[in-house]
Amino acid sequence: MAAKVLLIALLALASSYSVIASDPSQLQDFCVADKDSKVSVNGFVCKNSMDVKAEDFSTSGFDKPGCTSNKLGSNVTAFNVDKIPGLNTLGISLARIDFAPFGLNPPHIHPRGTEILTVLEGELYVGFVTSNINGVGNKLFTKVLKKGDVFVFPQGLVHFQLNIGHTDAVAFAALSSQNPGVITVANAVFGSKPPIADDVLAKAFQVDTKTVDWLQAQFWMDNNN
């Protein structure tokens, strides 16, 4: 009987851990990404620890504004595992977001990470939309952020940031993934290659195919660097 109770307790503990844990615990101090390895894994193969240098954990340029002279008036500079190999397996990255006056970081998704953002300069109108909720649909949460304010965008949800001021704005963001990814909604839907069939988009957005053709003919720029 005691053995049976112990087994049930262990199974309950294991199942609760699987619910609350997203990444396994570290098995070593670090796993610097070996970008030259030909081995394909989920993430990057570890560089030999004897070849690791301090530079693998460092980069520069976070203080430099990104170019916002584009159609969106914004620029996202990511500091992820591609720029800092030492982030591999650590589940964190940063981004700097620069806005021209009334610039927009358009609706997008980070499929692999939650984002926490703080405003350093300016005033931003930000928000995210929930997944489908029974009886409610997709609920929108928005807030106007000023210097020093912080806002969280849950993983995988559509979100955006708009500079509502007459001056430049800057925000810093931390994300819970070494490579959170980004899917810009408009680019993915109307700018995919090859394009999504007209009939699919016309029915989904309840417009005619000519409108779909016009949208697909636009230049859908990527403001992520």
Side-chain angles (χ1 to χ4, degrees):
M1 181 66 182
K4 193 176 291 186
V5 171
L6 178 60
L7 177 60
I8 293 171
L10 288 173
L11 287 173
L13 179 62
S15 64
S16 65
Y17 180 78
S18 66
V19 170
I20 63 174
S22 57
D23 291 323
S25 299
Q26 292 290 109
L27 300 179
Q28 53 205 28
D29 289 342
F30 50 77
C31 174
V32 173
D34 184 354
K35 301 293 186 65
D36 297 323
S37 175
K38 304 300 181 184
V39 179
S40 179
V41 297
N42 185 20
F44 294 95
V45 171
C46 302
K47 181 189 287 189
N48 187 317
S49 61
M50 299 306 294
D51 297 328
V52 171
K53 300 177 181 178
E55 287 74 17
D56 290 320
F57 301 94
S58 176
T59 191
S60 59
F62 207 59
D63 61 321
K64 294 179 173 56
C67 178
T68 58
S69 57
N70 54 54
K71 290 173 66 174
L72 294 171
S74 68
N75 186 288
V76 181
T77 306
F79 291 81
N80 53 31
V81 70
D82 291 327
K83 293 183 180 176
I84 309 175
L87 286 175
N88 190 38
T89 75
L90 298 184
I92 193 169
S93 58
L94 287 172
R96 173 183 174 130
I97 313 166
D98 291 282
F99 300 85
F102 307 107
L104 171 70
N105 190 17
H108 61 281
I109 298 165
H110 298 299
R112 296 181 292 274
T114 291
E115 175 181 348
I116 182 168
L117 175 144
T118 183
V119 178
L120 270 67
E121 297 292 342
E123 193 170 357
L124 299 179
Y125 170 69
V126 307
F128 68 85
V129 181
T130 67
S131 56
N132 301 350
I133 300 174
N134 290 338
V136 179
N138 305 96
K139 188 172 181 178
L140 173 65
F141 292 87
T142 65
K143 190 169 180 63
V144 172
L145 304 182
K146 298 183 179 181
K147 182 176 181 179
D149 290 344
V150 177
F151 198 83
V152 173
F153 305 98
Q155 179 175 339
L157 299 186
V158 176
H159 60 285
F160 60 87
Q161 299 103 23
L162 172 68
N163 181 6
I164 57 175
H166 293 271
T167 60
D168 292 346
V170 183
F172 286 176
L175 299 108
S176 62
S177 171
Q178 66 183 42
N179 182 23
V182 60
I183 302 170
T184 305
V185 176
N187 299 37
V189 173
F190 296 109
S192 67
K193 296 182 178 15
I196 300 173
D198 285 7
D199 291 343
V200 173
L201 295 181
K203 181 163 284 191
F205 288 92
Q206 301 178 34
V207 296
D208 57 45
T209 55
K210 287 184 178 179
T211 301
V212 172
D213 290 338
W214 180 83
L215 287 167
Q216 289 180 325
Q218 304 308 303
F219 173 66
W220 295 102
M221 69 156 294
D222 184 4
N223 65 335
N224 292 271
N225 296 289

